[in-house]
Every structure is written in structure tokens, then in C-alpha cells.
């Protein structure tokens, strides 16, 4: 249904728009970005799928090859990257950008095993010169910062999900939370703050141990991510 809505919009834009050429290009770039996003969700799970790019909705259309499916995704994102601005201003802030198109292409081409396309797209994000790592790791998750390439602004639309409630610490909300707790394997993936690795073997021995794990010695990313006793 969502792919059909995008195609309806694109056909209407081409046939009936009375806007100027640049406005049409901006709308088409945004629409094709999302069509690529939708087909990417299908292609990374199923390979080739039935492709529709117009409103000629024949019901007996054959499934396309994986190669043709990835071709369409790449073509849509190439157009989006060429048409979209590096940044939007004013009330348009938050719309998809040139950097978002390059970033999505880089990710999609990894699944397509088109390594050179993935590399060039990723390099193109960096070349824009507007993205960087935040100084404080925790700030990267707050949105609206120099690490953010594409984000969804729930302050404008209102949350329509239960993610925050489901993933809160269990008991923080009555009879809710705890749906996504860190595994011990994830905890042990962190290094010490000085860059050395922790020997976790004592905590895997039969009979266990009463020795406290070295949580305080672990790197800042651990402390920003995992709540521990």
C-alpha cells in the first residue's frame, strides 16, 4: 500500500503539477527516497520482489530478479541524492536530505553486495562536511546533533509506539518494561577505559563467584548504555 501511495504521488506530480521545476524535483526526490526505503525493507529479506513504479497495476506481474530490485533502489537513491538539499531550513527541517540519501544507499548497497557503490556513497556523506562525532557519547542519542543523518521527530508527531515503555527498566512503569535488557555477551564486549580487555573467565566458572565485576573500570560507552547494580 505504501509503495502504491508513493507511485500515485509521483504519477500525479508528473501529470498534474503546476509547481516550478525545482519544487517538482524536490518532491520527487523525497518520494523516491521513501520508495527506495520501502523496497529496501523487502529486498533485504526476500531478494527480488514484484516491482511497481507507476499505476499500471497488472495483477499477474512477475517477480523481478534481485539484481533488478537492487537496481531500482540504487536508481531512486541516486536521484534523491542529486535532487535533495544538503540541509533544509525553517519549518522544513527534518525532511530527508542529500546526506540521508547517500547514507541509505551505502547501507542498501552493503546488502546488495555492491561494495564499490557502498563505499562511494559513504564517502559522499563525509564529503558533505556537515556531520561529525559528538564530543559526548551520550549526546549522540539525544537527536538534533552533528551525528544525526536521519531522525524521526516525535516531538512534532507524538509517539505512536510503546518502545519507551517496553524498554524501560522493569518496574519503572508498573508491570511494564524489561523487554530489551542487555545480555552478558554485550556487557563483555566493552573494554576497560584504558583500552585493555577484561578477563571475564572468573564469572563463568562452575559455582560462580562473589567477586564484583569491574563495571566501574569499563569504558564510558558502557556507562552511557547499560544500567548496572
Amino acid at each position: 500500500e505504501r509503495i502504491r501511495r508513493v507511485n500515485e504521488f509521483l504519477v500525479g506530480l508528473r501529470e498534474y503539477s503546476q509547481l516550478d521545476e525545482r519544487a517538482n524535483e524536490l518532491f520527487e526526490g523525497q518520494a523516491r527516497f521513501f520508495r527506495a526505503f520501502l523496497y529496501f525493507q523487502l529486498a533485504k529479506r526476500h531478494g527480488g520482489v514484484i516491482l511497481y513504479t507507476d499505476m499500471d497495476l497488472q495483477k499477474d506481474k512477475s517477480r523481478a530478479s534481485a539484481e533488478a530490485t537492487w537496481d531500482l533502489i540504487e536508481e531512486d537513491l541516486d536521484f534523491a541524492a542529486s535532487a535533495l538539499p544538503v540541509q533544509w531550513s525553517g519549518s522544513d527541517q527534518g525532511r530527508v536530505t542529500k546526506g540521508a540519501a547517500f547514507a541509505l544507499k551505502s547501507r542498501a548497497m552493503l546488502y546488495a553486495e555492491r561494495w564499490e557503490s557502498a563505499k562511494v556513497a559513504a564517502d559522499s556523506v563525509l564529503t558533505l562536511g556537515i556531520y561529525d562525532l559528538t564530543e559526548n557519547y551520550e549526546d549522540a542519542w539525544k537527536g538534533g546533533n552533528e551525528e544525526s543523518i536521519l531522525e524521526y521527530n516525535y516531538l512534532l508527531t507524538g509517539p505512536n509506539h510503546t518502545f519507551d515503555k517496553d524498554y524501560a527498566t522493569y518496574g519503572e512503569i508498573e508491570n511494564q518494561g524489561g523487554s530489551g535488557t542487555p545480555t552478558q555477551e554485550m556487557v563483555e564486549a566493552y573494554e576497560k577505559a584504558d583500552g585493555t580487555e577484561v578477563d571475564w573467565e572468573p564469572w563463568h566458572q562452575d559455582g560462580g563467584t562473589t567477586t564484583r565485576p569491574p563495571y566501574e573500570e569499563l569504558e564510558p560507552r558502557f556507562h552511557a548504555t547499560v544500567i548496572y547494580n
Side-chain angles (χ1 to χ4, degrees), residues 82-112:
S82 70
L84 294 174
V86 174
Q87 292 176 307
W88 295 84
S89 60
S91 61
D92 286 326
Q93 285 185 331
R95 291 180 179 270
V96 289
T97 60
K98 189 181 296 289
F102 281 136
L104 180 59
K105 179 183 176 181
S106 181
R107 178 175 293 187
M109 293 303 98
L110 288 176
Y111 282 83

Side-chain angles (χ1 to χ4, degrees), residues 43 46-49 51 63-73 112 114:
H46 307 294
V49 296
L51 299 178
R63 178 179 177 179
S65 67
E67 194 72 9
T69 303
W70 290 117
D71 283 345
L72 176 60
I73 293 168
R114 298 181 178 184

Side-chain angles (χ1 to χ4, degrees), residues 7 14 23 40 81 97 101 138 151 153 171 174 176 186 193 211 224:
N7 288 335
R14 291 164 189 157
F40 175 41
T97 60
E138 284 187 70
E151 64 182 46
N153 192 342
E174 187 175 358
Q176 283 188 283
M186 176 181 171
T211 303

